[in-house]
């Protein structure tokens, strides 16, 4: 039996407790839908191959789950450094690259600092920057090609409070990679930090790794969520100047990479040949998908250097529903600047892409 509490019910005025910067933003939302074919999050459609899954579970069984993981993540950091072709002191491993974006912004951005970002792009950068009280400055990509707006960015990085420029290449959700020459121009002219998110780098023909040695103000973000099929286990890494890496590690949540994720990442790195074959298959399937989309009249696909394709269509919201009625879930990106007519579609397996194409052919005649 509980005796009645002598204390009165207490309500909180959230507006006075929560930071105004947080109250002001909408947050990152993902609507829930029933689906058969999932083409909405740019995941690896093949998943981790069965022998590797077995190997991960076998190794995991042999580990002591009641002990904390290695605080420094030493072995995994070394393995990732070797894979990426960078020195170990240039690597910070984290619980998905999202968590490293958060840690990095936390150590760099103070209220009033300016963060420059292109649009449309991955929305998390602006959201995290705003929560920290930074001022987000946006530069639109060039119409149609979605190339970098070099002159506008050059103007922005000259501003005295500009502290960070964030670029995503290949860019989500447009799919194109940016010119490395343009990127290097910006890195060399800017006194602040250039963050280059290369989450989709394995599907493209270029990366900025070679620039890392020459520019201390460049930092790359990478992930195991896309090419390596580990989105559910959360592993990402950052490559940058050793001095910066030291600071970012202070903001990383201790033990944020759990034993399972660590084990899975190591198994992937032990079987790179299998995963690299998957990547080649995804690139081939992307090209086949783009070719099959080309003759369609109601849909126009943009070129892609990633594992997804952006399409433009006359009635995107209706097409989204039309695909969903056939169990195909894609991403509605109509809310992004410049993309009012667009949907983003991940490259699926052969049969998933065939189902998508059959449905898009039906769409031509409805
Ligand atoms: N960067 C970009 C550009 C992305 O599209 C995503 C995932 N949608 C991420 C980072 C996040 O990756 P992770 O799963 O490593 O947090």
């Amino acid at each position: 039996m509980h005796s009645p509490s002598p204390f009165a019910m207490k309500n909180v005025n959230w507006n006075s407790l929560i930071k105004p910067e947080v109250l002001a933003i909408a947050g990152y939302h993902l609507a829930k839908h029933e689906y058969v074919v999932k083409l909405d999050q740019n995941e690896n459609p093949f998943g981790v191959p069965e022998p590797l899954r077995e190997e991960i579970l076998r190794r995991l069984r042999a580990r002591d789950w009641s002990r904390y993981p290695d605080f420094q993540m030493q072995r995994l950091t070394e393995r990732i450094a070797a894979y990426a072709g960078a020195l170990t002191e240039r690597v910070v491993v984290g619980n998905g690259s999202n968590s490293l974006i958060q840690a990095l912004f936390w150590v760099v951005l103070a209220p009033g600092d300016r963060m420059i970002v292109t649009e449309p792009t991955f929305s998390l950068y602006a959201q995290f920057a705003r929560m920290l009280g930074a001022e987000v400055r946006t530069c639109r990509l060039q119409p149609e090609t979605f190339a970098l707006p070099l002159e506008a960015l050059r103007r922005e990085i000259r501003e005295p409070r500009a502290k960070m420029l964030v670029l995503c290449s290949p860019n989500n959700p447009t799919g194109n990679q940016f010119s490395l020459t343009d990127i290097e121009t910006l890195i060399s002219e800017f006194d602040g930090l250039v963050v280059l998110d290369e989450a989709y780098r394995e599907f493209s023909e270029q990366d900025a790794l070679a620039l890392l040695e020459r520019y201390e103000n460049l930092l790359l973000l990478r992930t195991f969520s896309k090419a390596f099929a580990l989105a559910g286990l959360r592993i990402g890494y950052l490559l940058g100047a050793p001095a910066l890496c030291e600071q970012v590690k202070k903001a990383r949540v201790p033990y944020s990479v759990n034993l399972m994720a660590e084990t899975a990442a190591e198994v992937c790195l032990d079987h790179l040949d299998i995963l690299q074959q998957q990547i080649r298959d995804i690139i081939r399937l992307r090209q086949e998908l783009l070719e099959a989309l080309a003759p369609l009249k109601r849909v126009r696909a943009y070129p892609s250097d990633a594992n997804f394709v952006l399409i433009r269509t006359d009635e995107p919201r209706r097409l989204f529903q039309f695909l969903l009625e056939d169990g195909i879930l894609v991403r509605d990106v109509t809310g992004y600047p410049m993309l009012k007519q667009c949907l983003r579609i991940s490259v699926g397996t052969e049969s998933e892409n065939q189902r998508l194409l059959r449905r898009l052919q039906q769409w031509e005649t409805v």
Side-chain angles (χ1 to χ4, degrees), residues 28 41-42 95-99 101 121-122 124-125 168 170-172 197-200 221-226 230-231 234-237 308 331 344:
Y28 189 79
Q41 283 193 291
N42 308 336
N95 182 260
S97 57
N98 283 344
S99 77
I101 296 170
T121 195
F122 190 42
L124 208 65
Y125 316 130
C168 179
N171 185 45
N172 177 11
D197 188 339
E198 294 188 325
Y200 300 98
L221 288 164
R222 305 267 183 90
T223 181
F224 278 53
S225 297
K226 310 296 175 184
L230 290 186
R234 320 300 303 129
I235 291 268
Y237 58 102
F308 58 88
R331 180 63 68 85
R344 191 193 70 193

Side-chain angles (χ1 to χ4, degrees), residues 272-311:
L272 276 179
D273 49 337
I274 299 179
L275 293 161
Q276 275 160 349
Q277 184 54 48
Q278 276 196 351
I279 295 166
R280 285 194 291 274
D281 288 341
I282 292 169
I283 293 171
R284 174 180 54 79
L285 288 165
R286 174 187 76 203
Q287 290 320 111
E288 288 172 9
L289 180 62
L290 283 170
E291 280 161 31
L293 289 170
L296 300 184
K297 299 214 163 39
R298 291 187 75 184
V299 165
R300 197 186 124 212
Y302 289 93
S304 169
D305 301 296
N307 64 341
F308 58 88
V309 169
L310 183 77
I311 63 163

Side-chain angles (χ1 to χ4, degrees), residues 118-121 139-147 149 171 173-174 302 310-312 333-342:
T118 56
E119 65 174 18
T121 195
C139 292
R140 288 225 164 160
L141 297 175
Q142 294 187 37
E144 283 309 294
T145 60
F146 300 122
N171 185 45
T174 57
Y302 289 93
L310 183 77
I311 63 163
R312 185 173 288 269
V333 292
T334 55
Y336 284 75
M338 302 175 80
L339 306 183
K340 247 205 290 294
Q341 300 292 117
C342 294

Side-chain angles (χ1 to χ4, degrees), residues 50-77:
E50 196 52 39
L52 272 61
R53 290 166 72 99
E54 287 296 327
E55 175 72 7
I56 292 166
L57 293 174
R58 195 184 59 73
R59 287 194 205 176
L60 195 64
R61 216 172 275 129
R63 299 189 71 169
D64 190 349
W65 301 0
S66 63
R67 303 293 173 188
Y68 284 105
D70 172 25
F71 184 79
Q72 306 289 354
M73 291 275 127
Q74 188 60 28
R75 198 175 63 195
L76 183 60
T77 307

